Amino acid sequence: MSPIMLLLPVLLPILGGAAMFVLPAQNTKQREVYVQLFTCATSILVAVLLWNRPSGTAVVLDMGNVQLALRLDSLSVVFAAILAVLWPLAVLYSFEYMRHEHGENRFFAFFTMTYGVVLGIAFAANAFTLYLFYELLTLCTLPLVMHEMDGQGRFAGKKYLAYSMSGAALAFISMIFLMQYGSLDFVLGGNLSKILTVGHENTLRIAFVLGFFGFGVKAAIWPLHGWLPSAGVAPTPVTALLHAVAVVNAGVFAILRLTYYSYGTNLLQGTWAQDLVMAFAVITIVYGSAMALRMQHLKRRLAYSTVSNLSYILFGATLMSPGGLAAALCHMVVHSFVKIILFFCAGALLCQTHHKEYIFEYEGLGKRMPITFGVFTFASMALIGIPILPGFASKWAIASHAAMYNNPLAWAGVAALMISALLTGLYQMGVVVPAFFPRKGHQEPDWAVSVTDPGWRMVASLLVLCVLVLALGLGADWLYSVLTRVAAGLV
């Protein structure tokens, strides 16, 4: 198969979403058929490309020193597969959720375009292409964050833009150093010139750190995480998109590229640069979990949970070894599936309770919404890391690999994982237990009498995701063996 075929799943949703501004749908049913058609067609194209992977690079635009180019390598396969599976389910869920909102045509136009942009990040053959689509991702998701266009929405949008642009500036500086001392192409092991880097190693380590924190904005590394909880004012499909599938994973994916495919671990391992980025990942793991426990607003609690879990992935990545990369990818896959379930449950609660947002308001609702809270409980156990479920396997992979290192920071990371697991149990069960076991004498509010589980679209999305998470847990050994081959560049 020709590499130029990689352009199709990138352009199809971008053009399909843009067309909705020119020819808006006449009614809800027409819009839903149109959006799901483009989404499913894109996922099918991705599946075909993953099954029959094209070799070589598709150069879309050659500008001399830089190229707009696409390639499907081992790392691309993982990110693209996550997107291809989760996006159609997110769209199906969104159809029901957005019937309670306004501006549906604008929402679905940007939602569809974002799919193509994130696939552009997944398929990027070099740092320039990744950076270009990374910036487009900010522009496509900004209207989604600001969807309500009220005071909170505008503030969240401005904050998201300020953080993203600041991070992009740091990432751009890092990219310039890559171009000066080597090549922008992604090559497993790094692509810096051995001749040019002699005597400039510390300069390049500084450039790597700038790039790490630049891309770390979208990966919500402390203290650059502030935009993520604020973005929770957006409709729940958007926050699920931000926290589980597209935006945060794009930040993590960019850091993996920067570490393993651009600067290379030979330059970084055992240096102050590795210690610095690992220390911030360890701090963020505990900080995010501790903040989640404090939050009584459900979406903010889940947002801080995301902050913590993203740094599980970054901690694995900062071990700077094939085993660390495999463990990081394992948690990236698991967290994507588990966290989107939790946000979908939060969205179902918002819809069915007429936008009750705080955890104490859900007390006793387990009997009114048994499917929603049953699914939430299942996903919570997966996130905590109960054995058999996939969260246990991914956390075990990170911790066991870190424990092998004769590095106090790596051991501190293992301790942080244990503390975070305890805190995760407390903040997730803090939602589940009151819902199923209200306090003695609890008086059910009048509005709760009419509360039920959501419609079939939301329920179907939740149940399919539960099956997929269970499959990930039962097939954890297979998944980790595949990702080990990915980390070694053998897939």
Side-chain angles (χ1 to χ4, degrees), residues 88-90 92-93 344 456-466:
L89 293 171
L92 179 64
Y93 175 94
F344 280 1
W456 72 267
R457 290 178 177 85
M458 284 188 178
V459 169
S461 300
L462 290 171
L463 294 180
V464 170
L465 285 165
C466 283

Side-chain angles (χ1 to χ4, degrees), residues 98-276:
M98 290 307 295
R99 289 186 177 185
H100 301 270
E101 301 289 335
H102 60 88
E104 294 166 85
N105 195 75
R106 169 168 49 89
F107 173 89
F108 282 110
F110 282 110
F111 202 85
T112 304
M113 291 170 68
T114 301
Y115 190 9
V117 172
V118 186
L119 284 172
I121 293 173
F123 294 157
N126 56 52
F128 171 76
T129 306
L130 185 147
Y131 185 83
L132 176 64
F133 281 106
Y134 194 84
E135 289 293 82
L136 286 174
L137 179 61
T138 300
L139 297 178
C140 281
T141 51
L142 179 63
L144 295 173
V145 173
M146 299 177 68
H147 180 77
E148 296 296 337
M149 294 306 294
D150 55 8
Q152 281 188 317
R154 288 194 295 270
F155 175 77
K158 291 175 184 177
K159 193 171 184 179
Y160 174 54
L161 186 62
Y163 272 80
S164 296
M165 292 295 101
S166 300
L170 295 178
F172 183 79
I173 294 170
S174 185
M175 186 175 69
I176 295 300
F177 277 90
L178 281 174
M179 189 163 55
Q180 183 177 352
Y181 287 94
S183 169
L184 295 178
D185 292 339
F186 293 136
V187 176
L188 184 59
N191 207 13
L192 294 173
S193 168
K194 292 182 180 180
I195 298 173
L196 294 177
T197 55
V198 173
H200 300 281
E201 290 85 356
N202 266 331
T203 299
L204 288 167
R205 287 166 190 146
I206 293 171
F208 164 77
V209 170
L210 291 177
F212 181 93
F213 284 103
F215 289 125
V217 169
K218 280 192 169 66
I221 191 80
W222 179 86
L224 307 175
H225 65 286
W227 66 273
L228 193 60
S230 299
V233 300
T236 299
V238 177
T239 50
L241 179 82
L242 292 173
H243 294 245
V245 187
V247 176
V248 294
N249 273 352
V252 167
F253 183 78
I255 287 174
L256 296 179
R257 285 294 197 195
L258 193 75
T259 306
Y260 290 89
Y261 288 77
S262 293
Y263 285 93
T265 57
N266 287 338
L267 175 73
L268 304 168
Q269 195 172 40
T271 69
W272 64 267
Q274 181 189 21
D275 289 344
L276 180 64

Side-chain angles (χ1 to χ4, degrees), residues 126-441:
N126 56 52
F128 171 76
T129 306
L130 185 147
Y131 185 83
L132 176 64
F133 281 106
Y134 194 84
E135 289 293 82
L136 286 174
L137 179 61
T138 300
L139 297 178
C140 281
T141 51
L142 179 63
L144 295 173
V145 173
M146 299 177 68
H147 180 77
E148 296 296 337
M149 294 306 294
D150 55 8
Q152 281 188 317
R154 288 194 295 270
F155 175 77
K158 291 175 184 177
K159 193 171 184 179
Y160 174 54
L161 186 62
Y163 272 80
S164 296
M165 292 295 101
S166 300
L170 295 178
F172 183 79
I173 294 170
S174 185
M175 186 175 69
I176 295 300
F177 277 90
L178 281 174
M179 189 163 55
Q180 183 177 352
Y181 287 94
S183 169
L184 295 178
D185 292 339
F186 293 136
V187 176
L188 184 59
N191 207 13
L192 294 173
S193 168
K194 292 182 180 180
I195 298 173
L196 294 177
T197 55
V198 173
H200 300 281
E201 290 85 356
N202 266 331
T203 299
L204 288 167
R205 287 166 190 146
I206 293 171
F208 164 77
V209 170
L210 291 177
F212 181 93
F213 284 103
F215 289 125
V217 169
K218 280 192 169 66
I221 191 80
W222 179 86
L224 307 175
H225 65 286
W227 66 273
L228 193 60
S230 299
V233 300
T236 299
V238 177
T239 50
L241 179 82
L242 292 173
H243 294 245
V245 187
V247 176
V248 294
N249 273 352
V252 167
F253 183 78
I255 287 174
L256 296 179
R257 285 294 197 195
L258 193 75
T259 306
Y260 290 89
Y261 288 77
S262 293
Y263 285 93
T265 57
N266 287 338
L267 175 73
L268 304 168
Q269 195 172 40
T271 69
W272 64 267
Q274 181 189 21
D275 289 344
L276 180 64
V277 295
M278 187 184 291
F280 274 87
V282 171
I283 291 169
T284 309
I285 288 171
V286 178
Y287 170 81
S289 294
M291 289 297 294
L293 186 60
R294 291 183 58 193
M295 295 294 121
Q296 288 301 310
H297 188 282
L298 180 58
K299 287 174 73 174
R300 280 183 172 267
R301 176 170 291 195
L302 295 178
Y304 278 107
S305 170
T306 298
V307 170
S308 177
N309 276 270
L310 290 173
S311 278
Y312 282 46
I313 306 169
L314 295 183
F315 174 59
T318 57
L319 294 173
M320 298 190 181
S321 66
L325 176 57
L329 289 173
C330 189
H331 197 68
M332 178 178 170
V333 173
V334 171
H335 180 255
S336 298
F337 282 81
V338 172
K339 188 53 65 71
I340 199 170
I341 293 176
L342 292 170
F343 271 104
F344 280 1
C345 288
L349 286 167
L350 287 172
C351 284
Q352 300 305 105
T353 63
H354 305 290
H355 289 274
K356 298 291 187 290
E357 299 179 331
Y358 290 89
I359 293 166
F360 64 83
E361 295 175 301
Y362 305 140
E363 187 173 2
L365 287 187
K367 64 179 180 180
R368 300 284 182 184
M369 302 180 69
I371 296 175
T372 302
F373 276 102
V375 170
F376 189 93
T377 303
F378 173 79
S380 295
M381 290 191 295
L383 189 69
I384 293 165
I386 301 300
I388 300 178
L389 297 177
F392 174 80
S394 61
K395 292 179 181 182
W396 180 266
I398 297 170
S400 60
H401 194 74
M404 295 188 297
Y405 280 77
N406 187 23
N407 184 332
L409 272 175
W411 299 340
V414 175
L417 292 175
M418 295 171 67
I419 294 169
S420 178
L422 173 62
L423 294 174
T424 303
L426 292 174
Y427 67 68
Q428 288 300 130
M429 290 301 107
V431 180
V432 171
V433 172
F436 284 112
F437 305 102
R439 293 166 298 172
K440 186 176 180 180

